Amino acid sequence: MARDTVVFDLIRKELERQRHGIELIASENFTSLQVMQAMGSVMTNKYAEGYPGKRYYAGCEIVDQTEQLAIDRLKQVFNIEYANVQPHSGAQANAAVALAVLKAGDPTLGLDLSMGGHLTHGAAVNYSGKLYQPHFYGVTREEGLIDYEMMAEQAKKHRPKLIFCGASAYSRDWDYARVRQIADEVGALVMADIAHPAGLIAKKLLKDPFDHCHIVTSTTHKTLRGPRGGIIMMRKDFENPFGLTDVKGNIRMMSNLLDMAVFPGTQGGPLEHVIAAKAVAFGEILSDEFTQYAGQVVKNAQAMAAALTNLGYQIISGGTDNHLVLIDLRNKNISGKKAEQALVLADITANKNMVPFDDKSAFVTSGIRLGVPAVTTRGMKENDMQFVVNCIDKILMNADDTSIINAVKKKVNAFMTQFVLYPEMDA
Ligand code: DSN
């Protein structure tokens, strides 16, 4: 077969883009080379419907071992008793949980998307908003903190079967004990979606959701720095407090219900090449090097928040406990859309984001979300955050000035040469 130069040329260009730019999308990161090597391996050739030791295809002896290794390592990472590593993504993990614990039309309660919530926690355009009956809580107008009073009121009013906690644009930690208390009062299960802060939770830099939440889901490619994918976890695999049943009406352990909801419930053959890469990433997370990395992520986010605040930027909730900040740009007279577009011209990648009580649409927005997991992987430390913030400020204050944007872009590209990315790979 002739080499597909068209596709590989695009891959080379993407490598160059990643090398030259400052990556501040809070949900992105750079995996290790060995994670990508596992992903780009012969494991992609294998069909393996089922689970280790219980497959519908022959020849699964080796993929059984990599999948079991991924499960065992993930259990060690979070000190848990149940893990399913097959979900293709965070959305797939959440769909499987919903299928396992909800019936069509059941009420749910989650953080409103416009307040920093996740699409799969009940948004009207998502399956979670179409198949179930979603209700929402938000953040407080004054502090920008999760409004647990509202959560409790909504729970009493709508009696959800499942309460989601977790966010995609929230810079503070969660009171999981409070969420569980609210859920217990109305007979709901709690699912924490830790896709964003999972790597920090793994290293005990944030509160542990497993003590209070029945089920925990995550992606594997954000702060966990693994391949793109999803996971479902529980600290104990026997909890089924509400006697949930399988399709035949049999009460089953929650672990069985979740496994069945992933396969055959919502997925067919697992991506064994991605699962092998997850195993590699989970092994990396167990290392001291990752402990240092996670600590540096928090330090960098706090340094970035301080530098932004010094320049008059309004950070929702006034600061950060995790890896990101959400900035309300209204006092700077620039929309999130315009900010995103101007920054990318200078090779700084970030995403526009609605802020709580936003008066602009999701396509325009008043805010921008900045995250540091990727630049921390590149090797940036606290003192580098001032340079990054100065570049952002220069762009946002001169968003229509092409010559200033070009000058900043040159500085950005020169700055990034010191943070080598994938030196083993050809340009
Ligand atoms: N869309 C992902 C994010 O950027 O946060 C997950 O919600």
Side-chain angles (χ1 to χ4, degrees):
M1 203 67 77
R3 175 85 172 163
D4 190 334
T5 52
V6 179
V7 171
F8 285 101
D9 195 41
L10 289 170
I11 292 173
R12 185 187 56 75
K13 285 180 177 153
E14 174 60 15
L15 172 61
E16 280 310 307
R17 188 194 70 80
Q18 293 184 11
R19 281 178 172 163
H20 288 151
I22 297 179
E23 181 52 71
L24 296 174
I25 291 178
S27 46
E28 293 192 11
N29 211 330
F30 300 107
T31 73
S32 68
L33 190 65
Q34 59 176 353
V35 164
M36 288 195 293
Q37 284 167 337
M39 239 186 314
S41 72
V42 292
M43 295 291 186
T44 194
N45 298 329
K46 190 71 201 93
Y47 242 122
E49 285 180 6
Y51 288 98
K54 291 166 282 181
R55 305 283 192 183
Y56 288 82
Y57 292 86
C60 292
E61 305 78 28
I62 311 296
V63 294
D64 273 6
Q65 291 177 53
T66 46
E67 186 166 336
Q68 193 57 52
L69 198 55
I71 292 167
D72 293 343
R73 286 180 176 175
L74 182 56
K75 286 181 179 175
Q76 213 184 328
V77 165
F78 288 106
N79 183 27
I80 53 175
E81 291 181 16
Y82 167 82
N84 187 311
V85 297
Q86 291 194 0
H88 302 331
S89 67
Q92 291 285 124
N94 292 353
V97 172
L99 186 73
V101 308
L102 297 172
K103 292 191 174 57
D106 271 351
T108 64
L109 181 59
L111 177 61
D112 198 314
L113 188 62
S114 68
M115 299 265 174
H118 279 289
L119 196 62
T120 50
H121 296 190
V125 291
N126 185 256
Y127 75 87
S128 58
K130 290 186 168 181
L131 300 183
Y132 309 104
Q133 189 195 122
H135 300 281
F136 300 99
Y137 55 90
V139 298
T140 56
R141 195 180 275 276
E142 298 74 28
E143 299 102 340
L145 298 174
I146 294 296
D147 190 342
Y148 293 99
E149 295 297 319
M150 184 181 182
M151 186 190 290
E153 278 167 27
Q154 289 284 81
K156 278 190 193 122
K157 189 168 165 196
H158 301 293
R159 316 288 299 182
K161 297 284 186 209
L162 179 64
I163 298 181
F164 299 104
C165 55
S168 72
Y170 185 63
S171 62
R172 297 301 187 179
D173 205 353
W174 285 74
D175 187 347
Y176 298 110
R178 183 87 195 273
V179 180
R180 178 59 182 266
Q181 185 195 3
I182 291 167
D184 284 347
E185 281 169 16
V186 298
L189 287 168
V190 180
M191 188 201 95
D193 182 334
I194 60 168
H196 268 268
L200 309 183
I201 291 168
K203 293 300 174 180
K204 304 190 188 321
L205 296 167
L206 292 169
K207 288 197 192 97
D208 184 346
F210 292 95
D211 284 339
H212 304 287
C213 305
H214 301 91
I215 303 166
V216 177
T217 63
S218 184
T219 52
T220 46
H221 48 271
K222 298 186 177 96
T223 50
L224 286 178
R225 209 165 66 178
R228 197 159 284 280
I231 44 179
I232 304 176
M233 303 167 282
M234 288 188 293
R235 176 141 291 150
K236 295 195 181 300
D237 73 358
F238 44 75
E239 279 189 74
N240 183 354
F242 303 118
L244 297 169
T245 58
D246 63 15
V247 282
K248 291 182 181 150
N250 299 316
I251 294 178
R252 303 285 295 262
M253 287 205 307
M254 192 71 99
S255 53
N256 294 136
L257 293 174
L258 290 170
D259 281 345
M260 286 189 294
V262 174
F263 172 81
T266 50
Q267 294 187 175
L271 309 177
E272 291 298 341
H273 55 306
V274 177
I275 289 171
K278 286 174 179 171
V280 174
F282 300 153
E284 291 177 354
I285 294 164
L286 290 167
S287 70
D288 291 342
E289 199 185 324
F290 195 91
T291 308
Q292 282 171 14
Y293 164 72
Q296 192 63 50
V297 166
V298 174
K299 286 182 201 162
N300 284 353
Q302 289 176 356
M304 175 178 271
L308 286 161
T309 305
N310 285 341
L311 289 175
Y313 287 90
Q314 292 190 344
I315 295 173
I316 302 295
S317 85
T320 182
D321 298 328
N322 58 26
H323 61 297
L324 65 81
V325 290
L326 178 61
I327 306 166
D328 186 339
L329 291 169
R330 281 178 284 200
N331 67 327
K332 297 288 184 180
N333 296 317
I334 183 168
S335 70
K337 181 180 178 183
K338 176 94 179 178
E340 178 187 295
Q341 287 170 345
L343 288 169
V344 84
L345 292 174
D347 287 347
I348 298 173
T349 324
N351 65 284
K352 64 178 179 293
N353 213 103
M354 287 185 89
V355 295
F357 310 99
D358 209 325
D359 54 348
K360 298 191 186 74
S361 78
F363 296 102
V364 179
T365 82
S366 297
I368 194 147
R369 184 184 68 162
L370 305 177
V372 298
V375 292
T376 306
T377 297
R378 292 293 296 263
M380 287 193 199
K381 300 281 191 299
E382 294 99 303
N383 55 354
D384 299 309
M385 294 302 108
Q386 188 65 56
F387 172 85
V388 172
V389 168
N390 287 347
C391 290
I392 291 170
D393 184 55
K394 191 88 175 166
I395 298 286
L396 299 191
M397 293 305 99
N398 300 279
D400 292 313
D401 190 326
T402 312
S403 63
I404 289 183
I405 290 174
N406 283 338
V408 176
K409 179 181 169 156
K410 279 202 184 102
K411 273 192 189 173
V412 165
N413 296 157
F415 184 70
M416 292 314 290
T417 58
Q418 65 187 300
F419 304 105
V420 180
L421 182 66
Y422 304 128
E424 309 87 346
M425 295 174 82
D426 289 338

